[in-house]
Amino acid sequence: MKEIQFKNIEFSYHNDEKVINDLSFTIEKGSYTTLIGHNGSGKSTVAKLMIGLLEADSGEILVRDLKMNVENISKIRKSLGMVFQNPDNQFIGATVEDDIAFGLENMVVAQEKMRDIILKYANDVGMSEYLEREPEKLSGGQKQRVAIAGVLAMAPEIIIFDEATSMLDPKGKAEIKAMIKQIHKQYNITVISITHDIEEVVGSDYVYVLANGQIALEGIPADVLIMEEELIDLSLDVPFAIKINSLFKEQGINLEKTINFEGLVEQICQLK
Ligand SMILES: Nc1ncnc2c1ncn2[C@@H]1O[C@H](COP(=O)(O)OP(=O)(O)OP(=O)(O)O)[C@@H](O)[C@H]1O
Ligand SMILES: [Mg+2]
């Protein structure tokens, strides 16, 4: 089933050059889809079009079969949550609890129910001990957890992460990445992750590669991420396992191309 459809979308900021150029693609319901592309390729613009923060110049966007238009936008927004790159830009509450509650208050949820919902999601993201804390005093990774809890509390069908881990240290990055995976499994939510982290793409169901506002490559990661030359031409990284594969090749050892560590290690262990 199709969760989001872009049909021939065109978009430019202030009538300048086209940033999104006849873009058509589909996000499958329940999938973990990654969207990659060089800086300025239009990824964040696509995310903003998806949530109706920007309006396309032409073409059609469907979210869960609802056409993106003035009539449907509030309904569509209810089904979508978004976590941004900068953890400092997502805070509005005086405490972590207020912060998670923010979206719920907008949805007019009864007070007694609200407390239970906040506790559940704070617990799910490992932040239940921090409910009375000031969000500003948390680490970057903790701030992103709170942002995720706030989004989950609104029970969206789709969550978009726009480089949600890129400003975090390695530990925070690993934790939030694991959390995104967990959320996808646990809540059966459609996840769209915009990322520069090629190892995150390895673990996703489907990947779109954006270049100049168009889809340059797409497919399951095992098919797309072995295209080393194409990815490098698009200023993108290749998976670690592919880099090692090339180094072996330089030494005259031909391994089968695999995008994950396990597949690589298995083959190396079989070398005599
Ligand atoms: N508010 C804006 N006004 C004018 N131009 C903009 C605006 N936001 C983005 N752009 C331009 O649109 C293009 C696409 O930007 P976008 O932010 O969508 O790229 P991106 O793929 O998300 O990049 P990054 O990886 O750096 O986050 C860029 O050329 C950018 O300069
Ligand atoms: Mg961006």
Side-chain angles (χ1 to χ4, degrees):
M1 210 176 122
K2 297 181 174 85
E3 192 88 290
I4 296 180
Q5 297 175 71
F6 270 47
K7 295 181 180 174
N8 310 104
I9 293 298
E10 308 260 340
F11 177 82
S12 58
Y13 290 96
H14 329 293
N15 296 327
D16 282 349
E17 205 183 316
K18 269 183 198 156
V19 170
I20 302 299
N21 205 348
D22 195 18
L23 178 66
S24 299
F25 69 93
T26 306
I27 306 280
E28 282 297 315
K29 183 172 166 51
S31 68
Y32 182 154
T33 301
T34 41
L35 178 59
I36 61 175
H38 59 77
N39 291 131
S41 58
K43 304 180 297 296
S44 295
T45 305
V46 166
K48 287 173 189 159
L49 287 162
M50 265 178 199
I51 60 171
L53 221 55
L54 293 174
E55 194 186 339
D57 299 331
S58 63
E60 189 175 75
I61 297 173
L62 296 169
V63 178
R64 316 189 84 228
D65 291 329
L66 285 177
K67 239 191 220 180
M68 181 74 77
N69 57 30
V70 182
E71 236 168 57
N72 292 334
I73 189 136
S74 56
K75 209 166 176 192
I76 288 177
R77 287 244 174 96
K78 279 192 187 130
S79 63
L80 281 159
M82 183 143 165
V83 179
F84 296 90
Q85 176 175 27
N86 188 341
D88 294 319
N89 289 347
Q90 357 216 17
F91 286 97
I92 356 97
T95 64
V96 165
E97 179 165 354
D98 291 345
D99 216 88
I100 299 174
F102 182 78
L104 290 173
E105 276 162 4
N106 284 346
M107 288 169 77
V108 210
V109 175
Q111 205 68 32
E112 357 27 289
K113 262 198 189 163
M114 211 151 102
R115 177 78 190 170
D116 287 347
I117 297 173
I118 293 167
L119 282 177
K120 172 180 168 23
Y121 292 106
N123 193 46
D124 279 0
V125 300
M127 289 299 289
S128 48
E129 314 268 290
Y130 294 81
L131 286 174
E132 305 308 319
R133 300 278 190 96
E134 290 171 53
E136 297 81 44
K137 292 187 180 157
L138 301 175
S139 73
Q142 290 170 331
K143 286 176 185 171
Q144 287 304 62
R145 284 164 186 263
V146 174
I148 292 170
V151 167
L152 287 175
M154 300 201 279
E157 323 279 343
I158 307 157
I159 303 188
I160 305 167
F161 295 90
D162 189 354
E163 297 190 43
T165 65
S166 66
M167 294 178 78
L168 306 179
D169 63 19
K171 182 165 171 272
K173 232 179 236 209
E175 284 173 3
I176 298 299
K177 259 166 71 175
M179 185 162 291
I180 297 175
K181 261 193 180 164
Q182 171 65 23
I183 287 167
H184 175 243
K185 267 212 310 234
Q186 186 178 342
Y187 298 103
N188 202 17
I189 283 177
T190 303
V191 167
I192 302 163
S193 184
I194 296 170
T195 184
H196 285 290
D197 180 343
I198 208 74
E199 303 303 335
E200 182 187 347
V201 180
V202 168
S204 67
D205 298 322
Y206 203 82
V207 56
Y208 285 106
V209 183
L210 209 61
N212 308 316
Q214 287 184 315
I215 304 290
L217 299 168
E218 69 169 283
I220 59 168
D223 291 341
V224 173
L225 300 183
I226 58 168
M227 298 188 206
E228 206 173 354
E229 273 175 39
E230 287 88 341
L231 292 171
I232 291 168
D233 280 348
L234 293 166
S235 312
L236 295 169
D237 200 6
V238 294
F240 180 74
I242 295 290
K243 288 180 192 163
I244 300 295
N245 189 299
S246 299
L247 291 174
F248 270 95
K249 202 169 182 181
E250 279 172 24
Q251 299 296 322
I253 301 166
N254 281 316
L255 300 174
E256 200 184 309
K257 271 194 183 177
T258 171
I259 59 170
N260 51 49
F261 303 136
E262 293 81 0
L264 178 73
V265 170
E266 232 168 68
Q267 291 188 64
I268 293 172
C269 288
Q270 280 167 9
L271 293 173
K272 286 270 149 56

